[in-house]
């Protein structure tokens, strides 16, 4: 089995471009050009230059001594939390803004849930001097005030999505509608490996710098360029896609994807798409999604806004269905506890999304020589208020 | 059996088609609205199967869809409502809905049920032409269903020719680069686009939709096409005036 995207834009049964005709020209333009543009020398140079000098790459592959000792395995953290703007999200927005420029676009739109992707998009738009509009659910705007302020400081216009549940799913709907209304001058920077082909592949390629760096870094410290386990949290799944990318077809490496169980898989308040989802269409992609028996998309729940998505990228649906990856879901409480554990054992305050991934250490057994790499995808600054309220700090 | 959609285009007059969301304003208004529309001399009806995330729709249809869902609307209920009145209704009935609810119902079962209750065709905005040709066409044809495709101002001439070739029933011409919604008039760019499409002399009849709201826009649009579809303006009307006075709305559009 091969885990790369096929010619029609599918991973196994999942993916494709289920879009209204209004989006056909935009999506086709991207599909025809993205591989060509990305592989051009001057694009690569500018992209790598910005990743190095602006984002701060390569990010360290850090050996977590105390964690390793406690859990009796070799535990490494890929420090994406040290990226400019505080998470891996910016790897993708740098790539897409350069692509948008090559395509002659002068207006950028984006969706955001917790605001991390919105901030990363607003940042690169400021960097390039391009107009930026970010759609954000009305509820999320209230819940994530600091990120809204950051986007505004960066010069972006934040528009409240007032339809449906007023969260990430609806912000994405509004961004798609904006793109329908502005088909010529606008590029839509999707923040995860979701949406119609070629987005899942394009975003995965921009995030693949994560596993590319690991190959070199691990070789230096361990004498081999592959780990035994790769572990990442999955909402839409972009940090996970970047972590897995260069190891997808290397079956010596076991892949673990961690979803948000919310208040428990059977509680009705969860975002564990692999466990609760069925095959369907969301935001132009055939994938697993949480829905009613009638095919209406349901509201997910997680304490972390970044995992609060009713679908999952088509690559991950394929990894799940083909059993290439093991999917584990972690409830709110365990993730929050791991926010504290990682802070106090390694001096790293993780985003709540990221904390979900570490929580598998409690239940999963490893051998002493196993090399584990966790994607430390984001820092916890944005979650301070949630931590304060939760732990009464 | 012949498809009623073909019959509708045999008439001399410009065709008026009305869209509404099934189950809105009230769950069981569907059959009353259909009857009233036929009595008011509407030529064709598009019945919206509501969806939680209608990405091609503007605020009016988003709102009517979500209200319909709150009212308890479902695919099964819609089929029952249509089955109960089909015998009294002669004009073509088209179901317009997004792919996900149809997939969950089961595409085979869905097509079969459409044939049984007397649906003539479908408009599924997020079902691309190539996927339809590869995976759905056979089933649709087996059950005598037409699937209508959209074109927009950005659709290339080559693609319009291709869509014309594979189309049955009619081509749904989206009047501007936009989501659905009522507008008061067309601009010059739109008129140029209408006449460009007219001059292509497509084999399939063309109906224009999105932004048709009154006598003026209906008349202008149909100068270049075989007919027009009104959705948001109609939904706004019944929200404000109730469903009893539907004939007044239609009279105004046709200027009778």
């Amino acid at each position: 089995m091969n885990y790369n995207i096929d010619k029609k834009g599918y991973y196994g049964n999942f993916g494709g471009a289920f879009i209204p005709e209004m989006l056909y020209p935009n999506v086709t333009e991207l599909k025809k050009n993205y591989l060509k543009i990305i592989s051009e020398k001057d694009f690569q140079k500018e992209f790598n230059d910005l990743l190095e000098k602006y984002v701060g790459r390569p990010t360290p592959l850090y050996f977590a001594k105390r964690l390793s000792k406690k859990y009796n395995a070799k535990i490494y953290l890929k420090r994406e939390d040290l990226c400019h703007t505080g998470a891996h999200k910016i790897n993708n927005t740098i790539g897409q803004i350069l692509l948008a420029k090559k395509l002659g676009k002068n207006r950028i739109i984006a969706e955001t849930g917790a605001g991390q992707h919105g901030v990363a998009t607003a940042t690169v738009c400021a960097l390039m001097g391009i107009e930026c509009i970010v759609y954000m659910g009305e509820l999320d705007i209230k819940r994530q005030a600091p990120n809204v302020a950051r986007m505004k400081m960066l010069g972006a216009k934040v528009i409240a999505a007032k339809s449906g549940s007023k969260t990430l799913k609806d912000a994405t709907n509004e961004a798609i509608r904006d793109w329908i209304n502005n088909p010529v001058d606008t590029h839509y920077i999707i923040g995860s490996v979701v949406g119609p082909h070629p987005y899942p592949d394009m975003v995965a390629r921009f995030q693949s710098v994560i596993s590319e760096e690991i190959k070199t870094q691990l070789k230096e410290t361990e004498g081999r360029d592959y780990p035994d386990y790769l572990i990442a949290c999955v909402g839409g799944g972009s940090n996970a896609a970047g972590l897995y990318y260069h190891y997808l077809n290397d079956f010596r490496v076991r892949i673990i994807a961690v979803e948000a169980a919310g208040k428990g898989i059977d509680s009705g308040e969860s975002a564990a798409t692999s466990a609760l989802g069925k095959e369907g269409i969301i935001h132009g992609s055939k994938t697993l999604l949480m829905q009613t028996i009638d095919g209406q998309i349901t509201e997910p729940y997680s304490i972390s806004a970044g995992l609060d998505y009713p679908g999952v990228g088509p690559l991950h649906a394929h990894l799940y269905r083909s059993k290439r990856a093991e999917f584990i879901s972690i409830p709110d409480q365990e993730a929050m506890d791991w926010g504290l554990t990682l802070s106090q054992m390694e001096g790293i305050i993780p985003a709540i999304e990221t904390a979900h991934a570490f929580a598998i250490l409690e239940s999963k057994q490893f051998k002493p020589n196993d090399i584990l790499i966790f994607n430390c995808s984001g820092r916890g600054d944005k979650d301070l208020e949630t931590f304060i309220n939760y732990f009464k700090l | 059996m012949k498809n009623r959609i073909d019959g509708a285009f045999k008439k001399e007059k410009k065709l008026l088609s009305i869209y509404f969301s099934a189950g809105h304003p009230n769950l069981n208004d569907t059959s009353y609205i259909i009857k009233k529309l036929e009595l008011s001399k509407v030529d064709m009806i598009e019945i919206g199967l509501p969806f939680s995330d209608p990405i091609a729709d503007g605020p009016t249809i988003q709102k009517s869809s979500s209200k319909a869902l709150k009212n308890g609307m479902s695919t099964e209920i819609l089929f029952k409502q249509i089955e109960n009145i089909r015998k009294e209704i002669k004009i073509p009935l088209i179901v317009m809905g997004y792919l996900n609810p149809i997939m969950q119902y089961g595409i085979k079962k869905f097509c079969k049920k459409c044939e049984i209750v007397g649906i003539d065709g479908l408009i599924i905005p997020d079902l691309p032409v190539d996927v339809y040709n590869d995976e759905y066409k056979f089933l649709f044809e087996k059950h005598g269903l037409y699937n209508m495709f959209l074109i927009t101002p950005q659709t290339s001439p080559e693609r319009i020719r291709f869509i014309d070739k594979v189309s049955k029933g009619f081509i749904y011409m989206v009047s501007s680069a936009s989501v659905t919604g009522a507008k008061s008039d067309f601009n010059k760019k739109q008129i140029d686009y209408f006449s460009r499409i007219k001059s292509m002399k497509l084999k399939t009849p063309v109906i224009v939709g999105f932004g048709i709201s009154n006598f003026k826009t209906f008349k202008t649009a149909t100068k270049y096409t075989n007919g027009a579809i009104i959705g948001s303006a109609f939904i706004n009307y019944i929200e404000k005036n109730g469903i009893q006075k539907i004939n007044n709305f239609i009279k105004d559009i046709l200027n009778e």
Side-chain angles (χ1 to χ4, degrees), chain A residues 11 88-89 92 111 168 190-195 199-201 203-208 210 231-245 248 255-260 271 273 287 305-317 319 327 353 375 377:
Chain A
Y11 301 94
H88 68 290
K89 290 284 184 193
N92 167 48
E111 85 294 337
L168 176 59
I190 294 185
S192 192
V193 287
V194 302
Y199 277 104
D201 183 49
V203 176
R205 280 170 193 267
F206 290 140
Q207 293 294 358
S208 72
I210 300 172
I231 303 138
C233 64
V234 174
S238 70
N239 91 77
L243 181 76
Y244 307 158
Y245 195 87
L248 286 169
I255 291 175
I256 298 176
V258 185
E259 292 183 310
T273 306
T287 187
L307 302 182
D308 204 353
Y309 185 68
V312 65
L315 164 66
H316 298 296
L319 292 175
F327 277 67
E353 289 81 359
N375 200 1
S377 54

Side-chain angles (χ1 to χ4, degrees), chain A residues 87 114-116 143-144 146-147 150 304-306 351-353 378-387:
Chain A
Q116 286 305 101
R143 290 194 289 199
Q144 308 285 337
N147 272 344
R150 287 165 85 193
S304 69
I352 301 172
E353 289 81 359
R379 63 178 95 125
D381 308 28
K382 69 176 176 67
D383 296 317
L384 265 190
E385 201 179 306
T386 313
F387 282 126

